[in-house]
Coordinates of all heavy atoms in Angstrom, one line a residue:
Q72 N 2.2 -9.6 -8.9 CA 2.2 -9.0 -7.6 C 1.4 -7.7 -7.6 O 0.7 -7.5 -6.6 CB 3.6 -8.8 -7.1 CG 3.7 -8.3 -5.6 CD 5.1 -8.1 -5.1 OE1 6.0 -8.6 -5.7 NE2 5.2 -7.3 -4.0
V73 N 1.7 -6.9 -8.6 CA 0.9 -5.6 -8.7 C -0.6 -5.9 -8.7 O -1.4 -5.2 -8.0 CB 1.4 -4.8 -9.9 CG1 0.5 -3.7 -10.2 CG2 2.8 -4.4 -9.7
K74 N -1.0 -6.9 -9.5 CA -2.4 -7.2 -9.6 C -3.0 -7.7 -8.3 O -4.0 -7.2 -7.9 CB -2.5 -8.4 -10.6 CG -3.9 -9.0 -10.7 CD -4.0 -10.0 -11.9 CE -5.3 -10.8 -11.9 NZ -5.3 -11.8 -10.7
R75 N -2.2 -8.5 -7.5 CA -2.7 -9.0 -6.2 C -2.7 -7.8 -5.2 O -3.6 -7.8 -4.3 CB -1.8 -10.1 -5.7 CG -1.8 -11.3 -6.6 CD -3.2 -12.0 -6.5 NE -3.5 -12.6 -5.2 CZ -4.6 -12.4 -4.5 NH1 -5.5 -11.6 -5.0 NH2 -4.7 -12.9 -3.3
I76 N -1.8 -6.9 -5.3 CA -1.8 -5.7 -4.4 C -3.1 -4.9 -4.6 O -3.8 -4.4 -3.7 CB -0.5 -4.9 -4.5 CG1 0.6 -5.6 -3.8 CG2 -0.7 -3.5 -3.9 CD1 2.0 -5.0 -4.1
R77 N -3.4 -4.7 -5.9 CA -4.6 -3.9 -6.3 C -5.8 -4.6 -5.8 O -6.8 -3.9 -5.4 CB -4.6 -3.6 -7.8 CG -3.5 -2.6 -8.2 CD -3.9 -2.0 -9.5 NE -3.2 -0.8 -9.8 CZ -2.2 -0.7 -10.7 NH1 -1.8 -1.8 -11.4 NH2 -1.5 0.4 -10.8
E78 N -5.8 -5.9 -5.9 CA -7.0 -6.6 -5.5 C -7.2 -6.6 -3.9 O -8.3 -6.9 -3.5 CB -6.9 -8.1 -5.9 CG -7.1 -8.2 -7.4 CD -6.8 -9.6 -7.9 OE1 -6.2 -10.5 -7.1 OE2 -7.0 -9.9 -9.1
Q79 N -6.2 -6.2 -3.2 CA -6.2 -6.2 -1.7 C -5.9 -4.7 -1.3 O -5.1 -4.5 -0.4 CB -5.2 -7.1 -1.1 CG -5.5 -8.6 -1.5 CD -4.4 -9.5 -0.9 OE1 -4.4 -9.8 0.2 NE2 -3.5 -9.9 -1.8
S80 N -6.6 -3.8 -1.9 CA -6.2 -2.4 -1.7 C -6.6 -1.9 -0.3 O -6.1 -0.8 0.2 CB -6.9 -1.5 -2.7 OG -8.3 -1.7 -2.7
D81 N -7.4 -2.7 0.4 CA -7.6 -2.4 1.8 C -6.4 -2.6 2.7 O -6.1 -2.0 3.7 CB -8.8 -3.1 2.4 CG -8.6 -4.6 2.3 OD1 -8.0 -5.1 1.3 OD2 -9.1 -5.4 3.2
K82 N -5.5 -3.6 2.3 CA -4.4 -4.0 3.1 C -3.1 -3.5 2.5 O -2.1 -3.4 3.3 CB -4.3 -5.6 3.1 CG -5.4 -6.3 3.7 CD -5.2 -7.8 3.6 CE -6.4 -8.6 4.2 NZ -6.2 -10.0 4.0
F83 N -3.0 -3.2 1.2 CA -1.8 -2.7 0.6 C -2.0 -1.5 -0.2 O -3.0 -1.3 -0.8 CB -1.2 -3.9 -0.3 CG -0.8 -5.1 0.5 CD1 -1.7 -6.2 0.5 CD2 0.4 -5.2 1.2 CE1 -1.4 -7.3 1.2 CE2 0.7 -6.4 1.9 CZ -0.2 -7.4 1.9
Y84 N -0.9 -0.7 -0.3 CA -1.0 0.6 -1.1 C 0.2 0.5 -2.1 O 1.4 0.5 -1.6 CB -0.9 1.8 -0.2 CG -1.0 3.1 -0.9 CD1 -2.2 3.7 -1.1 CD2 0.1 3.7 -1.5 CE1 -2.3 5.0 -1.8 CE2 0.0 4.9 -2.2 CZ -1.2 5.5 -2.3 OH -1.3 6.7 -3.0
L85 N -0.1 0.4 -3.4 CA 0.9 0.4 -4.4 C 1.4 1.8 -4.6 O 0.6 2.7 -4.9 CB 0.4 -0.2 -5.7 CG 1.3 -0.4 -6.8 CD1 2.4 -1.4 -6.5 CD2 0.6 -0.7 -8.1
I86 N 2.7 2.0 -4.5 CA 3.3 3.3 -4.6 C 3.3 3.8 -6.1 O 3.0 4.9 -6.4 CB 4.7 3.4 -3.9 CG1 4.5 3.3 -2.4 CG2 5.4 4.7 -4.3 CD1 5.7 3.2 -1.6
M87 N 3.7 2.9 -7.0 CA 3.7 3.2 -8.4 C 3.8 1.9 -9.2 O 4.2 0.8 -8.7 CB 4.9 4.1 -8.8 CG 6.3 3.4 -8.6 SD 7.6 4.5 -9.0 CE 7.5 5.7 -7.7
D88 N 3.4 2.0 -10.5 CA 3.6 0.8 -11.3 C 5.1 0.6 -11.6 O 5.7 1.6 -12.1 CB 2.8 1.1 -12.7 CG 1.3 0.8 -12.5 OD1 1.0 -0.3 -12.1 OD2 0.5 1.7 -12.9
P89 N 5.6 -0.5 -11.4 CA 7.0 -0.7 -11.6 C 7.4 -0.9 -13.0 O 6.6 -1.4 -13.9 CB 7.3 -2.0 -10.8 CG 6.0 -2.8 -10.9 CD 4.9 -1.8 -10.9
E90 N 8.7 -0.5 -13.3 CA 9.2 -0.7 -14.7 C 10.1 -2.0 -14.7 O 10.3 -2.5 -15.8 CB 10.1 0.5 -15.1 CG 9.4 1.8 -15.4 CD 10.4 2.8 -16.0 OE1 11.1 3.5 -15.2 OE2 10.4 2.9 -17.2
L91 N 10.4 -2.5 -13.5 CA 11.3 -3.7 -13.4 C 10.6 -4.6 -12.4 O 9.4 -4.5 -12.2 CB 12.7 -3.2 -13.0 CG 13.8 -4.2 -13.3 CD1 13.9 -4.8 -14.6 CD2 15.2 -3.5 -13.0
V92 N 11.4 -5.4 -11.7 CA 10.8 -6.4 -10.8 C 10.8 -5.8 -9.4 O 10.5 -6.5 -8.4 CB 11.6 -7.7 -10.8 CG1 11.4 -8.4 -12.2 CG2 13.0 -7.5 -10.6
N93 N 11.2 -4.5 -9.2 CA 11.1 -3.9 -7.9 C 9.6 -3.4 -7.7 O 9.1 -2.6 -8.5 CB 11.9 -2.6 -7.9 CG 13.3 -2.8 -8.4 OD1 13.6 -3.5 -9.4 ND2 14.3 -2.1 -7.7
V94 N 9.0 -3.9 -6.7 CA 7.6 -3.5 -6.4 C 7.6 -2.8 -5.1 O 7.9 -3.3 -4.0 CB 6.6 -4.7 -6.4 CG1 5.2 -4.3 -6.1 CG2 6.7 -5.5 -7.7
S95 N 7.2 -1.5 -5.1 CA 7.2 -0.6 -3.9 C 5.8 -0.5 -3.4 O 4.9 -0.1 -4.2 CB 7.8 0.7 -4.3 OG 9.1 0.5 -4.8
F96 N 5.6 -0.7 -2.1 CA 4.3 -0.7 -1.5 C 4.4 -0.5 0.0 O 5.4 -0.7 0.6 CB 3.5 -2.0 -1.9 CG 4.2 -3.2 -1.3 CD1 3.7 -3.8 -0.1 CD2 5.2 -3.9 -2.0 CE1 4.3 -4.9 0.5 CE2 5.8 -5.0 -1.5 CZ 5.3 -5.5 -0.2
W97 N 3.2 -0.1 0.5 CA 3.0 0.0 2.0 C 2.0 -1.1 2.4 O 1.1 -1.5 1.6 CB 2.5 1.3 2.4 CG 3.5 2.4 2.6 CD1 4.5 2.5 3.4 CD2 3.5 3.6 1.8 NE1 5.2 3.6 3.2 CE2 4.6 4.4 2.3 CE3 2.7 4.2 0.8 CZ2 4.9 5.7 1.8 CZ3 3.0 5.5 0.3 CH2 4.1 6.2 0.8
Y98 N 2.2 -1.6 3.6 CA 1.2 -2.5 4.2 C 0.4 -1.6 5.1 O 0.9 -0.8 5.9 CB 1.9 -3.6 5.0 CG 0.9 -4.4 5.8 CD1 -0.1 -5.2 5.2 CD2 0.8 -4.2 7.2 CE1 -1.0 -5.9 6.0 CE2 -0.1 -4.9 8.0 CZ -1.1 -5.7 7.3 OH -2.0 -6.4 8.1
I99 N -1.0 -1.9 5.1 CA -1.9 -1.1 5.9 C -2.5 -2.0 7.0 O -3.3 -2.9 6.7 CB -3.0 -0.5 5.0 CG1 -2.5 0.3 3.9 CG2 -4.0 0.4 5.9 CD1 -3.5 0.7 2.8
P100 N -2.1 -1.8 8.3 CA -2.7 -2.6 9.3 C -4.2 -2.3 9.6 O -4.7 -1.3 9.1 CB -1.8 -2.3 10.5 CG -1.4 -0.9 10.3 CD -1.2 -0.8 8.8
K101 N -4.8 -3.1 10.3 CA -6.3 -3.0 10.5 C -6.7 -1.6 11.0 O -7.7 -1.0 10.5 CB -6.8 -4.0 11.5 CG -6.9 -5.4 10.9 CD -7.5 -6.4 11.9 CE -7.7 -7.8 11.3 NZ -8.3 -8.8 12.3
R102 N -5.9 -1.0 11.9 CA -6.3 0.3 12.5 C -6.3 1.4 11.5 O -6.9 2.5 11.8 CB -5.5 0.6 13.7 CG -4.0 0.9 13.4 CD -3.2 1.2 14.7 NE -1.8 1.4 14.4 CZ -1.3 2.6 14.1 NH1 -2.0 3.6 14.0 NH2 0.0 2.6 13.9
L103 N -5.6 1.3 10.4 CA -5.5 2.4 9.5 C -6.3 2.1 8.2 O -6.2 2.9 7.3 CB -4.0 2.6 9.1 CG -3.1 3.1 10.2 CD1 -1.6 3.2 9.8 CD2 -3.6 4.5 10.7
R104 N -7.0 1.0 8.1 CA -7.8 0.7 6.9 C -9.0 1.6 6.9 O -9.7 1.8 7.9 CB -8.2 -0.7 6.9 CG -7.0 -1.6 6.6 CD -7.3 -3.1 6.8 NE -6.0 -3.9 6.8 CZ -5.9 -5.2 7.1 NH1 -7.0 -5.9 7.4 NH2 -4.8 -5.7 7.1
G105 N -9.3 2.2 5.8 CA -10.4 3.2 5.7 C -10.0 4.6 6.0 O -10.8 5.5 5.8
V106 N -8.8 4.8 6.6 CA -8.3 6.2 6.9 C -7.8 6.8 5.5 O -7.1 6.2 4.8 CB -7.2 6.1 7.9 CG1 -6.6 7.5 8.1 CG2 -7.7 5.5 9.2
P107 N -8.2 8.0 5.2 CA -7.8 8.7 4.0 C -6.3 8.7 3.9 O -5.6 8.9 4.8 CB -8.4 10.1 4.1 CG -9.5 10.0 5.0 CD -9.1 8.9 6.0
H108 N -5.8 8.4 2.6 CA -4.3 8.4 2.4 C -3.8 9.8 2.3 O -4.1 10.5 1.3 CB -4.0 7.6 1.2 CG -2.5 7.3 1.1 ND1 -2.0 6.1 1.6 CD2 -1.5 8.0 0.5 CE1 -0.7 6.1 1.3 NE2 -0.4 7.2 0.7
D109 N -3.0 10.2 3.2 CA -2.3 11.5 3.2 C -0.9 11.4 3.8 O -0.5 10.3 4.1 CB -3.1 12.6 3.9 CG -3.5 12.2 5.4 OD1 -2.7 11.3 5.9 OD2 -4.4 12.8 5.9
A110 N -0.2 12.5 3.9 CA 1.2 12.5 4.4 C 1.2 12.0 5.8 O 2.2 11.3 6.2 CB 1.8 13.9 4.3
K111 N 0.2 12.3 6.6 CA 0.3 11.8 8.0 C 0.1 10.3 8.1 O 0.8 9.6 8.8 CB -0.9 12.5 8.8 CG -1.0 12.1 10.3 CD -2.1 12.7 11.0 CE -2.2 12.3 12.4 NZ -3.3 12.9 13.1
K112 N -0.7 9.7 7.2 CA -0.9 8.3 7.2 C 0.4 7.6 6.6 O 0.8 6.6 7.2 CB -2.1 7.9 6.3 CG -2.3 6.4 6.2 CD -3.6 6.1 5.4 CE -3.8 4.6 5.3 NZ -5.0 4.3 4.5
E113 N 1.0 8.2 5.7 CA 2.3 7.7 5.1 C 3.3 7.6 6.2 O 4.1 6.6 6.3 CB 2.8 8.5 4.0 CG 2.0 8.3 2.7 CD 2.5 9.1 1.5 OE1 3.6 9.8 1.7 OE2 2.0 9.0 0.4
Q114 N 3.4 8.6 7.1 CA 4.4 8.6 8.2 C 4.1 7.4 9.1 O 5.0 6.7 9.6 CB 4.3 9.9 9.0 CG 4.9 11.1 8.2 CD 6.3 10.9 7.9 OE1 7.1 10.4 8.7 NE2 6.7 11.4 6.7
E115 N 2.8 7.1 9.4 CA 2.4 6.0 10.2 C 2.8 4.6 9.5 O 3.3 3.7 10.2 CB 0.9 6.0 10.5 CG 0.5 7.0 11.6 CD 1.2 6.6 12.9 OE1 1.0 5.5 13.4 OE2 1.9 7.5 13.5
L116 N 2.5 4.6 8.2 CA 2.9 3.3 7.5 C 4.4 3.1 7.4 O 4.8 2.0 7.5 CB 2.3 3.4 6.0 CG 0.8 3.5 5.9 CD1 0.4 3.7 4.5 CD2 0.1 2.3 6.5
G117 N 5.1 4.2 7.4 CA 6.6 4.1 7.4 C 7.1 3.6 8.7 O 8.1 2.8 8.7

């Protein structure tokens, strides 16, 4: 799953490499793709 998220980095943002089977990530909708990743963007993704 981590590999597939990295391969689709325009659509998904991996928060960290997991130590277990918990995979933490954000989904990036079309309107936010290409927007620099910062705290404001994270609030929108949340």
Side-chain angles (χ1 to χ4, degrees):
Q72 182 180 346
V73 168
K74 173 176 171 286
R75 294 294 293 129
I76 285 174
R77 286 203 165 105
E78 290 170 351
Q79 302 176 75
S80 59
D81 59 325
K82 298 178 183 178
F83 298 97
Y84 183 94
L85 182 69
I86 291 174
M87 66 181 66
D88 282 307
E90 290 190 276
L91 197 49
V92 296
N93 312 41
V94 181
S95 302
F96 62 96
W97 279 298
Y98 170 71
I99 306 170
K101 283 185 176 179
R102 68 181 174 88
L103 293 174
R104 292 171 193 171
V106 175
H108 192 91
D109 55 19
K111 182 180 178 182
K112 183 176 179 179
E113 287 185 359
Q114 290 298 322
E115 282 297 305
L116 297 177

